[in-house]
Amino acid sequence: MEGVIVDNAKVMSKGQITLPKDIRSRMKLNTGDRVTLICGDDQIILMNSAVYAMKMLQREMKGEAERAGLTDDDAIMDLVKDIRLELEDQ
């Protein structure tokens, strides 16, 4: 388990915990950042909410580019040019 941080946190009266500094640093969490908690069986997974949202978006969008015919860089650039032209005409 190289690179894994194992630490403890105490649950306070209002259910709050303080994330240890090493974990906040590793997850790049700052004051005011949001986290997502995923609870299953006997464990809780804590993720940076922005990272969680991006992973969910990636999962939902998997295969959409191919279905839309965007199979290479040229097809993507053509689509971008078409959209720019449409925006200029508005």
Side-chain angles (χ1 to χ4, degrees):
M1 290 191 355
E2 190 174 325
V4 173
I5 298 172
V6 177
D7 208 332
N8 294 300
K10 182 178 179 180
V11 179
M12 305 306 283
S13 63
K14 293 184 179 181
Q16 297 171 324
I17 63 170
T18 299
L19 296 176
K21 185 177 185 328
D22 289 345
I23 291 175
R24 291 191 317 266
S25 295
R26 170 80 62 88
M27 293 183 64
K28 297 179 175 73
L29 292 171
N30 297 302
T31 301
D33 286 350
R34 300 198 56 87
V35 295
T36 297
L37 302 169
I38 305 161
C39 184
D41 296 331
D42 63 348
Q43 66 181 349
I44 296 173
I45 299 169
L46 181 136
M47 294 181 72
N48 182 314
S49 289
V51 171
Y52 178 75
M54 184 56 67
K55 286 180 183 256
M56 292 300 101
L57 178 62
Q58 288 172 335
R59 188 181 80 199
E60 293 295 319
M61 296 302 294
K62 186 174 179 116
E64 288 298 318
E66 290 82 13
R67 284 190 278 281
L70 302 173
T71 56
D72 59 26
D73 289 346
D74 290 336
I76 294 170
M77 291 307 296
D78 289 343
L79 176 63
V80 170
K81 287 176 189 175
D82 290 345
I83 292 171
R84 286 183 178 158
L85 287 173
E86 286 179 25
L87 292 174
E88 288 175 5
D89 290 343
Q90 292 180 0

